[in-house]
Amino acid sequence: MIVLVGFMGAGKTTVGRILAGRLGLPFADSDTEIEQRAGRPVREIFATDGEPAFRSLEREVIADLLGGPSIVLALGGGAVENFETRKLLADATVVYLRVSYAEALQRVGGDDGRPLLASPGLDARYAKRLAIYSEVASLTVDTDDRHPQALCREIISRLPAGAED
Ligand code: S3P
C-alpha cells in the first residue's frame, strides 16, 4: 500500500497515477472517492457541511481504501491533519511529495475547486503541516522544478521492499 501526501499542488494525483501505472497497481484519489460517496464536489461539502464534516468523511473513505486490496492512494493535502487518519497510515509506505509554498501556489493558484486556497491563514496552515507530513513519511521527495516522470523514477528506486503489498 503506497500513500502519497503533501500540500495542495505537490503533484500527488499526477505522480500517483504514473506511479500506479509503473507498479501495476490500481490508483485512487481520496477527494474523488469522497465526491463519489457524497455525490457532491469537495468545494460544496466544505461550503455546506464545513471542514470538520469533510475531515470525518475523508477519514472514513481513507479507512475503507486502506482496508482493501493494495493500491497507490493520493490523499487530499489536509487529510493528515486528522489524528485518526494519521493512525490509519501506520502500515502503509507513505511518500511525502514536498513542495515550496511559492511553487504550490503557482501550480494551483485560482483553482476554485480547492476551497482552502481562498481561506485566510493558508501560509500558517502550510507551515503547520510541514512537520506532520515529515512525521508520517516513510520517504520524502522534493518536487520543486522537477518533472513527474523523474519523481516517479526516484520514488520507485527508493521504495522499501514490500511497499507494493
Ligand atoms: C485540501 C486539499 C484538497 C482537498 C480539499 C482540502 C487541504 O486536496 O482535499 O480541498 O486541506 O489541503 P489536494 O491536496 O489534492 O488539492
Side-chain angles (χ1 to χ4, degrees):
M1 199 65 86
I2 298 170
V3 178
L4 300 176
V5 301
F7 203 64
M8 289 176 271
K12 303 178 293 287
T13 304
T14 307
V15 171
R17 272 189 204 292
I18 303 172
L19 194 59
R22 296 265 178 88
L23 297 173
L25 289 174
F27 171 74
D29 177 292
S30 64
D31 287 335
T32 307
E33 298 290 330
I34 290 165
E35 291 187 335
Q36 276 168 6
R37 197 172 289 198
R40 289 176 294 159
V42 165
R43 172 177 32 82
E44 206 178 297
I45 303 171
F46 264 79
T48 311
D49 306 344
E51 184 172 347
F54 174 81
R55 295 293 168 216
S56 142
L57 182 56
E58 185 175 49
R59 180 184 44 74
E60 275 174 36
V61 163
I62 294 168
D64 288 351
L65 288 166
L66 291 177
S70 190
I71 54 173
V72 174
L73 172 62
L75 298 190
V80 296
E81 279 193 14
N82 182 295
F83 175 68
E84 296 296 325
T85 302
R86 287 207 293 282
K87 282 203 297 194
L88 294 170
L89 303 178
D91 295 330
T93 297
V94 180
V95 180
Y96 168 25
L97 298 183
R98 190 159 53 193
V99 62
S100 67
Y101 188 61
E103 182 143 342
L105 291 190
Q106 207 173 24
R107 291 183 192 167
V108 297
D111 177 358
D112 64 6
R114 287 175 159 112
L116 291 182
L117 284 180
S119 72
L122 187 64
D123 52 348
R125 222 186 242 266
Y126 172 88
K128 177 183 153 201
R129 284 183 187 170
L130 289 182
I132 305 178
Y133 294 136
S134 295
E135 181 197 314
V136 298
S138 317
L139 64 102
T140 299
V141 177
D142 277 308
T143 72
D144 279 16
D145 299 318
R146 297 189 62 199
H147 195 276
Q149 302 281 357
L151 295 174
C152 278
R153 278 195 296 277
E154 176 177 343
I155 293 167
I156 289 171
S157 74
R158 293 177 57 197
L159 279 179
E164 291 119 295
D165 300 343

